Amino acid sequence: MEIQEILLQQRTFFKTQKTRNIKFRKMYLEKLKDLILQNKSLLFEAIYKDFGKSEFDTTITEISFLLNDIDYYLKNISRLSKPEKVRTNLANQIGKSKIYSDPLGCILVIGAWNYPYQLSLSPIIAALAAGNCCILKPSEIAPYTSQAMAQLINENFPPEYVYAYEGGIKETTELLKVRFDKIFFTGSTKVGKIVYKAAAEHLTPVTLELGGKSPVIVTGNANLETAAKRIVWGKFLNAGQTCVAPDYLLVQESVKEQFLEMLRNYIREFRYEEGSEQYTRIINQNNFHRLIQLIDQEKVYFGGSSNEEKLYIEPTILSPVSWDDNIMQDEIFGPLLPVISFNNFNIALTHINELEKPLSAYLFSNDQEEKDAFIQKFSFGGGCINDVVMHLGNENLPFGGVGNSGMGSYHGKYGFETFSHRKAILEKATWGEPHIKYPPYSEKKLKWIKKLL
Ligand code: NAD
């Protein structure tokens, strides 16, 4: 079916008001939950074919994530949808003021390939919970997962409510010409700009979930052993193809040698070897070559080997690296960890605050002054102190970037708000109103107005 035709059907269906009904929303969220549970093996198989992601990793970073999301909304839709009562000021008496969460209409969700299920379906779940119709455009870079999601959605949901439209740049460009009520995009900053420009043509609001170079800082006041273990996990999970993975490491010179050794030991302990079930492969040849070119063999502290046929790149630590090196210019999005050392924490913080605002940032330190400075002096989307990546697993925290790493946020109630319009309603009584705002004006009325306002 033509996409214009689907959108027309969705607009017509949206106007029937059926999606406003909370029972209707819950019924389809339950249905999506059942579909995910019943089709786990299809989902595991597809993602394994796309980039060798294991059942374990897929379970913890994709499937359970989505099931938790659905459960959250099933439990909270009624509360989130309730009109919020707010105070009414003196000038508007006698009256009542409320904010209604209005569904926006037809939503376009454009997904990225690196967590294909989570990044495509989590926004869809929030959009449906908020009472919208949706079109999903999964990433063509992960074709098997794209096909699996399209199959599940298009065989089980009415197209006038939810529809998956597969395709690459050509199809997305076509989609972007159409007028939606909201576009939710996950992907690179470069394509984010294309989406934003296209949306501006129709004044369509956007949420842009982009990337960036997310630093992890380890100071001399950190618990080094814990820091090393958590950084190795967060960096090499999904072979570094994680938007919130630590991109590079800033480590205090005094603990650098000791810390690098710990990182090396954990990489060995976690067994990220070629062919290992623990370790995902690089998504495609293009990315493989892009990453290989970033490895300066003279700076390899650990790793550095690769196998093109198997799209394997060994977890690699590069040290010492300088700010001018190639690897420090763009988001790495792969299993390479450049290391830069610093002597003065505040100078290091000032330096990274001059760069583009990253999606995430992480600090390992037990010093309160360092923690305060990290939060107050450095602008980034979100992050952790003494951990990496895990902040996005807490549905009570908004997830999103700032500046070059994006705009808007989602997860939990923030996802619901992202796909709702906050409609303000003031309801006035038809009695008890003083006549002072109405003409003819007089000095006396002005005196009263000044007093009241
Ligand atoms: P991408 O920008 O190449 O692609 C994302 C989507 O845009 C895909 O669906 C693709 O089909 C479409 N697209 C690609 N080129 C297009 C064009 N010229 N016109 C219109 N549409 C186009 O990103 P990717 O490679 O899938 O993902 C990697 C990037 O996404 C990284 O920068 C990463 O940090 C970021 N990312 C961010 C998040 C987040 O939640 N903030 C999550 C995952 C990935």
Side-chain angles (χ1 to χ4, degrees):
M1 230 188 300
E2 285 287 319
I3 200 65
Q4 260 91 352
E5 170 63 21
I6 301 270
L7 192 67
L8 195 67
Q9 287 184 11
Q10 291 206 348
R11 288 211 177 287
T12 311
F13 183 67
F14 183 71
K15 283 183 188 146
T16 64
Q17 311 276 327
K18 282 194 180 143
T19 66
R20 282 186 178 267
N21 183 301
I22 304 292
K23 271 194 194 150
F24 177 89
R25 300 185 204 179
K26 284 188 176 173
M27 181 179 82
Y28 275 102
L29 287 179
E30 291 276 12
K31 181 163 184 155
L32 184 57
K33 183 176 172 180
D34 288 346
L35 281 171
I36 294 171
L37 287 169
Q38 285 158 15
N39 290 281
K40 269 189 189 168
S41 45
L42 171 86
L43 299 173
F44 288 143
E45 206 176 297
I47 204 163
Y48 191 77
K49 281 187 187 160
D50 273 334
F51 56 121
K53 188 160 168 172
S54 69
E55 190 174 318
F56 191 95
D57 276 357
T58 308
T59 301
I60 60 167
T61 63
E62 309 242 21
I63 305 296
S64 342
F65 190 96
L66 293 173
L67 297 175
N68 283 338
D69 244 14
I70 295 178
D71 284 343
Y72 171 85
Y73 288 117
L74 285 174
K75 201 167 143 205
N76 291 289
I77 290 184
S78 306
R79 179 178 63 80
L80 293 168
S81 311
K82 263 203 194 122
E84 185 190 338
K85 284 187 198 154
V86 293
R87 280 188 54 207
T88 303
N89 58 348
L90 191 59
N92 279 308
Q93 296 301 344
I94 297 165
K96 287 185 284 190
S97 301
K98 285 184 191 168
I99 305 168
Y100 289 80
S101 286
D102 231 10
L104 291 169
C106 304
I107 311 290
L108 171 62
V109 172
I110 303 176
W113 59 265
N114 58 324
Y115 287 83
Y117 301 133
Q118 187 201 128
L119 300 175
S120 300
L121 297 178
S122 178
I124 293 281
I125 290 165
L128 297 185
N132 300 282
C133 298
C134 298
I135 291 179
L136 166 67
K137 208 298 291 175
S139 173
E140 77 286 8
I141 306 289
Y144 290 100
T145 51
S146 168
Q147 202 191 351
M149 285 186 282
Q151 183 188 325
L152 288 192
I153 290 174
N154 294 346
E155 286 179 4
N156 295 286
F157 284 81
E160 65 271 23
Y161 182 38
V162 193
Y163 187 73
Y165 183 72
E166 286 190 274
I169 296 179
K170 183 171 152 281
E171 289 76 11
T172 317
T173 307
E174 282 307 306
L175 274 175
L176 289 173
K177 288 181 188 155
V178 182
R179 181 176 190 159
F180 285 91
D181 297 297
K182 169 114 201 191
I183 300 176
F184 187 101
F185 171 81
T186 303
S188 59
T189 302
K190 185 176 132 237
V191 180
K193 288 180 184 173
I194 296 174
V195 171
Y196 200 11
K197 275 188 194 150
E201 197 56 43
H202 299 294
L203 282 184
T204 301
V206 291
T207 294
L208 300 176
E209 295 283 339
L210 311 176
K213 280 187 95 59
S214 303
V216 55
I217 310 169
V218 176
T219 78
N221 296 311
N223 178 325
L224 296 181
E225 202 64 48
T226 305
K229 190 177 193 177
R230 292 180 182 172
I231 292 170
V232 167
W233 176 81
K235 175 71 191 184
F236 300 111
L237 174 76
N238 224 32
Q241 302 165 114
T242 303
C243 55
V244 289
D247 185 274
Y248 60 97
L249 166 66
L250 283 175
V251 60
Q252 195 135 29
E253 183 60 39
S254 54
V255 293
K256 180 180 157 187
E257 282 317 308
Q258 189 189 355
F259 191 64
L260 289 189
E261 241 173 72
M262 289 177 181
L263 289 177
R264 184 174 56 193
N265 291 341
Y266 277 111
I267 294 175
R268 286 194 177 127
E269 191 181 320
F270 291 173
R271 313 272 307 268
Y272 293 132
E273 297 127 15
E274 196 177 324
S276 152
E277 274 296 303
Q278 270 79 244
Y279 195 54
T280 308
R281 64 172 184 259
I282 304 304
I283 185 73
N284 56 25
Q285 295 264 338
N286 279 351
N287 272 300
F288 179 87
H289 289 297
R290 181 183 61 78
L291 289 164
I292 291 298
Q293 277 169 12
L294 293 176
I295 304 177
D296 177 348
Q297 286 296 341
E298 302 216 324
K299 297 196 171 178
V300 170
Y301 167 85
F302 179 86
S305 75
S306 60
N307 180 337
E308 182 171 354
E309 203 189 320
K310 299 218 164 111
L311 293 174
Y312 168 83
I313 298 179
E314 189 181 10
T316 298
I317 299 175
L318 296 135
S319 174
V321 164
S322 82
W323 292 105
D324 298 330
D325 286 354
N326 263 351
I327 199 163
M328 291 309 295
Q329 306 316 310
D330 287 309
E331 182 182 1
I332 299 168
F333 220 56
L336 317 176
L337 183 66
V339 180
I340 296 179
S341 64
F342 65 87
N343 286 311
N344 182 304
F345 175 70
N346 280 306
I347 295 175
L349 212 52
T350 307
H351 183 97
I352 54 177
N353 202 37
E354 293 297 316
L355 309 175
E356 292 293 359
K357 297 173 182 182
L359 180 60
S360 308
Y362 308 107
L363 171 71
F364 283 87
S365 168
N366 289 318
D367 178 272
Q368 196 54 46
E369 272 181 32
E370 288 177 349
K371 292 185 207 176
D372 293 344
F374 171 73
I375 293 168
Q376 284 160 23
K377 292 186 184 169
F378 179 32
S379 180
F380 55 91
C384 311
I385 290 172
N386 292 328
D387 206 348
V388 295
V389 177
M390 293 306 292
H391 60 298
L392 77 79
N394 179 357
E395 75 260 8
N396 300 310
L397 290 172
F399 176 62
V402 57
N404 248 37
S405 57
M407 61 182 72
S409 62
Y410 70 133
H411 290 179
K413 78 165 181 165
Y414 307 99
F416 191 91
E417 285 170 3
T418 282
F419 294 108
S420 304
H421 166 60
R422 307 271 284 160
K423 190 191 262 175
I425 298 291
L426 168 70
E427 186 180 342
K428 292 289 282 277
T430 49
W431 50 274
E433 183 187 43
H435 287 276
I436 54 171
K437 80 175 179 196
Y438 298 106
Y441 301 141
S442 67
E443 276 303 314
K444 200 173 158 200
K445 279 184 178 176
L446 187 60
K447 211 175 102 196
W448 272 107
I449 292 255
K450 280 181 180 167
K451 262 191 192 163
L452 282 173
L453 300 183

